[in-house]
């Protein structure tokens, strides 16, 4: 029933690149390897995920959720751990909630946007998901997007999760 | 959280003062600056920790307890990662590839997170920080409570200063090469880093600093707070370590906290740079208005001198020495000071700031003063000349402002010119002023190199507006009616024997006039004094002088006078000359008697023979002075040396005639 959907990949790719590269360090490595500085230009306020991304995640089935979560926070560090939780649908909202090692992760999908909450030892943070690469294939979610708070980038999220497995 | 902060405070209290000199802040300008920054951020609701160290002087300041309160490091701790890895590489414990080095450079320059994540997890996570804590003695730094979040490493502004200082001096254990590499990366920090602009704090707050090596940190929104940290070295020589750490509720946004931290730095250094002045020099500069004052911006760090220190500014210098204190010198006075080799020259260190005077200014130095006025420029006065200048009421007296600095003269003498005269000094004579017509006359006689030599007195006021300066070789008298003239040698003695200007001769009306056969003449208001080696100094005056002049003075048949006037009973007053005599009779006439031309060798009784010559014919003198009726025999007439009188000539004294010219 489900079909792969890739939202705004082409349109948003240029805007997303800095965020993703920052989160993954890809450009840093490449830039440094080239012997130059990976200096970015002035940053613009990240564009937050909205209705389309919410609708897409709304197609995920309910049930247990498994996968991996990589959350990178600027100036803080990185959580990279298997994710175990569940996908919950309630009315027109969807919630992915579970644990990744010591961290509790929750993605709230509301009609007007997505919010990721991290509650880990020594770190609690709530951030909005920005536009990015959102794929839903069957019960599998592949999400690579930035994290923002009050209009500034604070990190990135890379989730590979199966719902209803 | 409360317990954690309590532990932090206890640790801070135990450790802070032991690590850095001057840990206890004191009220001074540096401390005022730190508080200004702290208060600025505080007024915006931003929590800020500030610590700074002048590595040259060791002066350390912070904003109190905040500087020793732990705060999450964010990316500032990436410098710990770099230090740890480079040291292990230096020790041969690990190998860092070119990619590793490039990643590390990006981690420091751009604050790239991905390399930090990789190094952190690959090389020991909290073990990295613990190693740095141990080697650097960071008593306030703490490990992150969750090893995956390196940005939660706990640092303090104080400990970061300790880290940077020991990084720089090598006491933390890192090689100089690796240290330089880290600092070089920090100096190449990019404006835009990982996720944002990273020139808040040091760069934005110190726009006039040409060299900043920084490691920034920022993160949001950890536990509801947003963080902005700025730390590193300031100055081309990395002289200053400045650490500013800030935090506030994340709801205010990044722009707000960045303005708080940059504004705090600006509040500390409104000059846009860290002034390279400190201590009493700095305080003096601030008291003069700092960058807004006369001296403007500093142009040098403090320069250590043999016996003090110096800081240069755009508009002048400030000197300090233990014995003289702190004083500024600027403008033309500074130029004159420079021309005399600054503190190394005879003036030494300044002992005052510039002192405003009516129509000019003054700076005092250990070895003298420098005066300035628009009309005269800046000139130094020192030593005995300065004392003499002072005795004449400085620039308020007749000398006015100096028009030259001290000029070295022969025999270790010296000279200062002033608007109203000169002051000469020599070891043998002391310092004395010469001015007005007397100075002109002195100059006409080649100053101190002429026959008068150095003055031995300053101007002495005399009757009727006259004045006198004594010199090694004579006197110069001046009066409004006679002008200034010198008198010297035996003529001066003869003048003195007649009570100087108070006697019958009055003031001189000429300087010494050289005459034939090495003789000389000074004219006076009341007569002439002639001198020659053979005849000594003799005074001729009144009708006798007129008669003498009528006979062509010393070039005439009478020659030089050989006596002063003396009374000859029954005859009158007689003056002897080399070849005759003139007698002013009681009738007021002057009788001339000339020796006969020599016809035979002189005999010992020749003078008596000459004096016994018959009396001349009486001729009224052209004066009203009555001559004595009798001409008694002289009692002290000088001995004649010329041939015996064999005949006489009698002439009538004519009116006055011009005397010889020099």
């Amino acid at each position: 029933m489900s079909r792969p959907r890739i939202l705004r990949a082409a349109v948003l790719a240029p805007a997303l690149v800095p965020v993703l590269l920052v989160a993954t360090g890809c450009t840093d490595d490449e830039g440094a390897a080239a012997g130059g500085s990976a200096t970015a230009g002035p940053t613009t306020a990240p564009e937050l995920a909205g209705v389309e991304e919410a609708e897409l995640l709304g197609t995920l089935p309910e049930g247990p959720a498994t996968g991996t979560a990589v959350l990178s926070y600027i100036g803080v560090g990185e959580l990279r751990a298997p994710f175990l939780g569940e996908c919950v649908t309630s009315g027109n909202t969807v919630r992915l909630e579970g644990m990744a090692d010591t961290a509790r992760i929750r993605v709230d999908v509301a009609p007007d946007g997505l919010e990721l909450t991290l509650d880990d030892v020594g770190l609690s943070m709530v951030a909005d998901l920005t536009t990015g690469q959102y794929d839903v294939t069957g019960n599998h979610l592949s999400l690579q997007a930035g994290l923002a708070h009050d209009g500034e980038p604070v990190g990135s999220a890379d989730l590979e999760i199966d719902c209803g497995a | 959280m409360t317990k954690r902060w309590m532990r932090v405070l206890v640790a801070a209290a135990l450790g802070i003062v032991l690590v850095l000199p001057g840990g206890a802040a004191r009220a001074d300008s540096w401390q005022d600056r730190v508080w200004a920054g702290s208060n600025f951020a505080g007024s915006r609701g931003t929590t800020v920790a500030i610590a700074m160290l002048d590595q040259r002087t060791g002066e350390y300041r912070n904003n109190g307890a905040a500087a020793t309160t732990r705060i999450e490091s964010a990316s500032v701790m990436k410098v710990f990662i770099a230090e740890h890895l480079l040291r292990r590489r230096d020790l041969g414990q690990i190998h860092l590839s070119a990619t590793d080095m490039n990643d590390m450079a990006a981690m420091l320059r751009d604050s790239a997170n991905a390399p930090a994540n990789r190094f952190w997890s690959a090389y020991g996570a909290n073990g990295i920080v613990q190693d740095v804590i141990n080697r650097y003695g960071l008593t306030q730094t703490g490990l992150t409570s969750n090893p995956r979040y390196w940005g939660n490493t706990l640092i303090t502004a104080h400990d970061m200063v300790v880290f940077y200082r020991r990084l720089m001096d090598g006491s933390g254990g890192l090689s100089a090469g690796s240290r330089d590499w880290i600092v070089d990366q920090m100096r190449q920090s990019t404006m835009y880093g990982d996720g944002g602009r990273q020139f808040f704090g040091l760069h934005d707050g110190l726009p006039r600093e040409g060299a900043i090596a920084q490691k920034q940190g920022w993160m949001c929104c950890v536990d509801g707070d947003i963080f902005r940290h700025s730390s590193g070295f300031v100055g081309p020589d990395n002289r200053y370590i400045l650490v500013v750490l800030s935090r506030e509720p994340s709801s205010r946004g990044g722009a707000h906290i960045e303005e708080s931290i940059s504004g705090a730095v600006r509040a500390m250094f409104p000059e846009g740079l860290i002034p390279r002045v400190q201590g009493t020099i700095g305080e003096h500069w601030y008291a003069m208005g700092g960058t807004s004052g006369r001296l403007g911006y500093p142009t040098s760090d403090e320069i250590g001198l043999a016996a003090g220190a110096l800081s240069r500014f755009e508009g002048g210098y400030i000197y300090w020495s233990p014995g003289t204190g702190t004083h500024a010198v600027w403008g033309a006075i500074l130029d004159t000071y420079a021309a005399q080799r600054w503190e190394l020259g005879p003036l030494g260190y300044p002992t005052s700031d510039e002192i405003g005077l009516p129509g000019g200014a003054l700076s005092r130095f250990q070895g003298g003063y420098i005066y300035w006025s628009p009309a005269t420029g800046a000139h130094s006065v020192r030593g005995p000349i300065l004392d003499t200048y002072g005795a004449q009421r400085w620039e308020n007296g007749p000398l006015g402002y100096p028009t030259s600095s001290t000029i070295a003269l022969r025999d270790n003498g010296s000279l200062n010119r002033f608007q109203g005269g000169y002051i000469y000094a020599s070891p043998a004579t002391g310092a004395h002023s010469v001015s007005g017509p007397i100075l002109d006359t002195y100059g006409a006689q080649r100053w101190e190199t002429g026959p008068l030599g150095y003055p031995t007195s300053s101007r002495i006021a005399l009757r009727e507006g006259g004045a006198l300066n004594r010199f090694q070789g004579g006197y110069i008298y001046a009066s409004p009616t006679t002008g200034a003239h010198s008198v010297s040698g035996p003529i001066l003695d003869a003048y003195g024997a007649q009570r100087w200007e108070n006697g019958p001769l009055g003031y001189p009306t000429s300087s010494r006039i050289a005459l034939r056969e090495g003789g000389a003449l000074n004219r006076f208001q009341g007569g002439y004094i002639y001198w020659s080696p053979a005849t000594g100094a003799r005074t001729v005056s009144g009708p006798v002088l007129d008669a003498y002049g009528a006979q062509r003075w010393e070039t005439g048949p009478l020659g030089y006078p050989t006596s002063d006037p003396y009374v000859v009973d029954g005859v009158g007053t007689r003056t002897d000359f080399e070849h005759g005599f003139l007698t002013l009779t009681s009738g007021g006439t002057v009788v001339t008697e000339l020796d006969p031309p020599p016809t035979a060798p002189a005999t010992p009784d020749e003078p008596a023979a000459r004096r016994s010559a018959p009396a001349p014919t009486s001729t009224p003198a052209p004066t009203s002075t009555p001559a004595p009726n009798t001409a008694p025999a002289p009692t002290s007439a000088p001995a004649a040396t010329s041939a015996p009188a064999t005949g006489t000539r009698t002439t009538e004294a004519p009116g006055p005639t011009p005397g010889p010219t020099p």
Side-chain angles (χ1 to χ4, degrees):
Chain A
M1 293 295 291
S2 62
R3 58 185 174 84
R5 293 177 64 182
I6 302 176
L7 294 178
R8 301 177 215 168
V11 175
L12 298 176
L16 183 60
V17 164
V19 173
L20 290 178
L21 295 184
V22 161
T24 62
C26 292
T27 50
D28 293 334
D29 292 343
E30 290 170 2
S37 166
T39 306
T43 56
T44 57
E47 184 179 357
L48 301 182
V51 175
E52 290 186 65
E53 288 82 359
E55 288 179 350
L56 182 61
L57 267 65
T59 64
L60 287 168
E62 284 193 296
T66 59
T68 59
V70 179
L71 301 180
S72 183
Y73 292 96
I74 296 171
V76 180
E78 181 182 76
L79 165 67
R80 183 183 295 269
F83 177 82
L84 181 60
E86 66 178 326
C87 301
V88 179
T89 300
S90 175
N92 59 351
T93 65
V94 175
R95 186 173 74 248
L96 282 67
E97 187 173 16
M99 297 294 293
D101 194 19
T102 57
R104 176 174 295 281
I105 298 173
R106 192 175 76 193
V107 178
D108 291 303
V109 181
D112 57 348
L114 290 74
E115 185 178 79
L116 188 149
T117 301
L118 172 76
D119 188 5
D120 198 356
V121 177
L123 183 65
S124 296
M125 184 176 294
V126 179
D128 297 318
L129 281 159
T130 71
T131 56
Q133 193 159 355
Y134 293 78
D135 293 343
V136 175
T137 304
N139 65 343
H140 180 76
L141 168 66
S142 178
L143 183 158
Q144 293 159 5
L147 296 170
H149 187 98
D150 289 333
E152 77 171 280
V154 298
S156 63
D158 186 345
L159 303 177
E160 298 290 342
I161 294 175
D162 292 320
C163 288
Chain B
M1 181 64 80
T2 302
K3 288 182 178 177
R4 187 180 78 177
W5 284 107
M6 286 294 290
R7 287 196 302 271
V8 169
L9 290 174
V10 170
L14 291 173
I16 177 170
V17 182
L18 301 178
V19 178
L20 282 171
R26 61 183 173 82
D28 62 9
S29 57
W30 282 123
Q31 190 61 53
D32 291 345
R33 288 176 180 270
V34 170
W35 285 124
S38 181
N39 292 338
F40 176 86
S43 69
R44 295 170 55 83
T46 305
T47 299
V48 68
I50 303 173
M52 66 174 296
L53 173 70
D54 180 344
Q55 295 195 89
R56 178 168 298 179
T57 64
E59 288 189 88
Y60 169 77
R61 301 288 184 273
N62 64 35
N63 67 332
T68 58
T69 300
R70 284 174 164 176
I71 189 171
E72 287 77 3
S73 69
S75 293
V76 169
M77 63 79 60
K78 289 171 182 171
V79 73
F80 291 169
I81 297 176
E83 195 278 347
H84 175 83
L85 266 60
L86 290 174
R87 182 167 186 275
R88 290 179 64 181
R89 181 201 63 176
D90 292 345
L91 295 174
Q93 296 175 350
I94 62 173
H95 170 74
L96 295 177
S97 66
T99 299
D100 291 334
M101 293 303 293
N102 286 330
D103 278 2
M104 200 181 307
M107 180 179 74
L108 295 175
R109 294 181 188 180
D110 312 325
S111 202
N113 284 308
N117 291 335
R118 182 167 72 84
F119 292 136
W120 177 256
S121 60
Y123 290 102
N126 263 338
I128 294 173
V129 177
Q130 189 61 59
D131 173 57
V132 171
I133 288 172
N134 294 341
R135 283 189 289 111
Y136 283 78
L138 306 181
T139 60
Q140 300 165 2
T141 301
L143 305 179
T144 174
S145 58
N146 187 334
R148 67 169 58 98
Y149 303 123
W150 42 260
N152 279 355
T153 296
L154 297 169
I155 61 175
T156 69
H158 172 92
D159 256 10
M160 286 309 300
V161 169
V162 174
F163 171 78
Y164 283 129
R165 191 190 75 173
R166 292 183 171 167
L167 177 75
M168 192 54 67
D169 67 19
S171 62
L174 188 64
S175 68
S178 292
R179 172 203 65 197
D180 291 345
W181 186 88
I182 288 176
V183 174
D184 186 50
Q185 304 311 310
M186 292 170 65
R187 191 167 286 180
Q188 297 180 58
S189 177
T190 55
M191 179 178 288
Y192 291 94
D194 201 342
R197 185 178 181 278
Q198 60 167 350
F199 269 20
F200 53 82
L202 270 59
H203 264 289
D204 285 350
L206 300 168
R208 291 170 64 95
E209 286 288 354
I212 294 176
Q214 67 171 14
K215 185 65 204 83
Q216 306 290 86
W218 65 99
M219 63 183 184
C220 183
C221 305
V222 178
D223 299 327
D225 279 345
I226 187 171
F227 297 79
R228 291 291 186 273
H229 303 326
S230 188
S231 71
F233 303 98
V234 179
D237 55 355
N238 303 308
R239 173 173 174 172
Y240 297 98
I241 296 172
L242 179 57
V243 177
V244 187
L245 313 176
S246 64
R247 171 175 61 191
E248 67 180 24
S250 60
S251 59
R252 295 172 184 161
H256 186 273
I257 192 171
E258 287 174 12
E259 176 52 28
S260 289
I261 188 171
S262 296
V265 177
R266 279 193 290 268
M268 291 173 67
F269 305 105
E271 306 89 347
L273 50 73
I274 299 180
R276 267 61 169 176
V277 289
Q278 60 280 311
T280 58
I281 287 181
E283 287 162 14
H284 200 83
W285 179 58
Y286 306 137
M288 292 178 66
T291 56
S292 302
R294 169 184 296 277
L295 296 178
Y297 288 96
T299 58
S300 77
D301 288 355
E302 184 176 297
I303 300 168
L305 303 174
L310 157 72
S311 280
R312 295 184 181 133
F313 299 84
E314 291 174 320
Y317 293 3
I318 296 181
Y319 277 88
W320 170 86
S321 80
T324 59
T326 309
H327 302 288
V329 188
W330 63 81
I333 289 179
L334 179 60
D335 297 338
T336 296
Y337 185 43
Q340 299 188 40
R341 297 185 297 117
W342 315 106
E343 80 286 351
L344 299 174
L347 290 169
Y349 284 92
T351 59
S352 80
D353 277 12
E354 189 170 296
I355 301 167
L357 301 174
L362 157 72
S363 280
R364 295 187 180 124
F365 298 82
Q366 289 175 302
Y369 293 2
I370 296 180
Y371 279 88
W372 170 87
S373 80
T376 59
H379 303 288
S380 66
V381 188
R382 51 191 167 84
I385 292 179
L386 181 61
D387 297 336
T388 296
Y389 184 44
Q392 299 188 41
R393 296 182 293 116
W394 315 105
E395 79 286 353
N396 297 315
L399 290 169
Y401 283 95
T403 59
S404 82
S405 290
T406 302
I407 300 168
L409 302 176
R410 67 170 177 85
D411 298 336
N412 297 317
S414 57
L415 159 71
N416 263 95
R417 298 186 183 119
F418 297 82
Q419 290 175 303
Y422 292 5
I423 297 180
Y424 282 85
S426 80
T429 59
H432 305 288
S433 65
V434 187
S435 59
I438 292 179
L439 180 61
D440 298 336
T441 296
Y442 184 43
Q445 299 189 42
R446 295 182 291 115
W447 317 105
E448 83 288 351
T449 64
L452 290 170
Y454 286 101
T456 58
S457 81
S458 290
R459 181 181 183 277
I460 301 168
L462 303 177
R463 66 175 176 82
E464 297 174 0
L468 159 71
N469 264 95
R470 297 185 184 121
F471 297 83
Q472 288 175 303
Y475 292 4
I476 297 180
Y477 281 85
S479 80
T481 57
T482 59
H485 305 288
S486 64
V487 187
S488 60
I491 294 178
L492 179 61
D493 296 337
Y495 183 46
Q498 299 179 62
R499 294 183 293 115
W500 316 104
E501 82 285 355
N502 295 315
L505 290 170
Y507 284 101
T509 59
S510 81
S511 291
R512 180 181 184 278
I513 299 166
L515 303 177
R516 67 173 177 83
E517 298 174 359
L521 160 70
N522 263 95
R523 296 179 190 136
F524 297 84
Q525 290 174 303
Y528 291 6
I529 298 179
Y530 279 86
W531 171 87
S532 78
T535 60
R538 308 296 179 186
T539 301
V540 186
S541 61
V544 172
L545 178 63
D546 298 335
Y548 183 44
Q551 298 183 59
R552 294 183 292 116
W553 316 103
E554 83 288 352
T555 63
L558 287 168
Y560 283 103
T562 59
S563 77
D564 289 327
Y566 59 91
V567 175
V568 178
D569 290 339
V571 177
T573 302
R574 177 176 292 173
T575 301
D576 296 335
F577 293 84
E578 287 178 301
H579 307 298
F581 50 83
L582 296 175
T583 303
L584 177 62
T585 68
S586 56
T589 60
V590 176
V591 176
T592 301
E593 294 182 68
L594 291 173
D595 296 338
T599 56
T603 60
D605 59 346
E606 176 188 309
R610 193 191 73 177
R611 285 195 294 274
S612 63
T617 57
S618 61
T619 304
T623 69
S624 59
T625 304
N629 293 326
T630 58
T635 56
S636 61
T641 56
S642 57
T646 56
T648 61
R649 287 184 292 149
T650 301
T651 59
E652 181 177 350
T657 58
T661 55

